[in-house]
């Protein structure tokens, strides 16, 4: 109960800072995808910290989750656990630090860049 009261009373600055980071990160994801992986489909999320990436246009022979892990060293979510027809999708959680996000984006683009 004390933590809830403290959050309501003193959490405005923290929340403002968090929203700033999330906004910066979601725009960074969009920038990298549009410039380095223009073939993939992605919509700028508005009410979440998850970016859904449609890798189906790449025509990969293996699921994109596996390709990104093996070739980029990054573990993203996606594929069949999210339901029928989700095999060609990746889910990237961008609620992280700038450095970690850059590492994720570097691995993702390295893995998905067409040869």
């Amino acid at each position: 109960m004390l933590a809830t009261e403290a959050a309501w009373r003193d959490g405005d600055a923290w929340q403002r800072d968090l929203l700033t980071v999330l906004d910066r990160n979601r725009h960074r994801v969009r920038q990298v995808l549009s410039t380095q992986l223009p073939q993939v489909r992605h919509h700028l999320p508005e009410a979440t910290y998850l970016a859904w990436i449609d890798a189906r246009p790449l025509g990969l022979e293996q699921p994109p989750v596996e390709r990104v892990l093996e070739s980029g060293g990054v573990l993203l979510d996606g594929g069949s656990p999210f339901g029928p027809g989700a095999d060609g999708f990746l889910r990237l959680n961008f609620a992280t630090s700038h450095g970690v996000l850059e590492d994720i984006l570097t691995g993702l683009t390295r893995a998905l860049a067409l040869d």
Side-chain angles (χ1 to χ4, degrees), residues 14-86:
W14 174 86
Q15 182 184 28
R16 202 171 30 257
D17 292 346
L18 174 64
L19 292 174
T20 298
V21 168
L22 292 176
D23 189 53
R24 179 196 69 213
N25 287 356
R26 75 186 180 111
H27 282 91
R28 179 64 179 146
V29 170
R30 180 180 64 175
Q31 176 192 26
V32 168
L33 293 177
S34 65
T35 60
Q36 297 185 35
L37 294 170
Q39 312 90 322
V40 302
R41 293 185 211 132
H42 167 262
H43 298 283
L44 189 66
E46 294 183 18
T48 182
Y49 50 84
L50 300 170
W52 285 94
I53 302 164
D54 182 357
R56 293 176 302 175
L58 297 175
L60 301 174
E61 294 183 13
Q62 71 184 126
V65 170
E66 292 177 17
R67 171 109 175 226
V68 171
L69 179 59
E70 292 172 10
S71 299
V74 175
L75 178 60
L76 298 179
D77 287 324
S80 58
F82 292 97

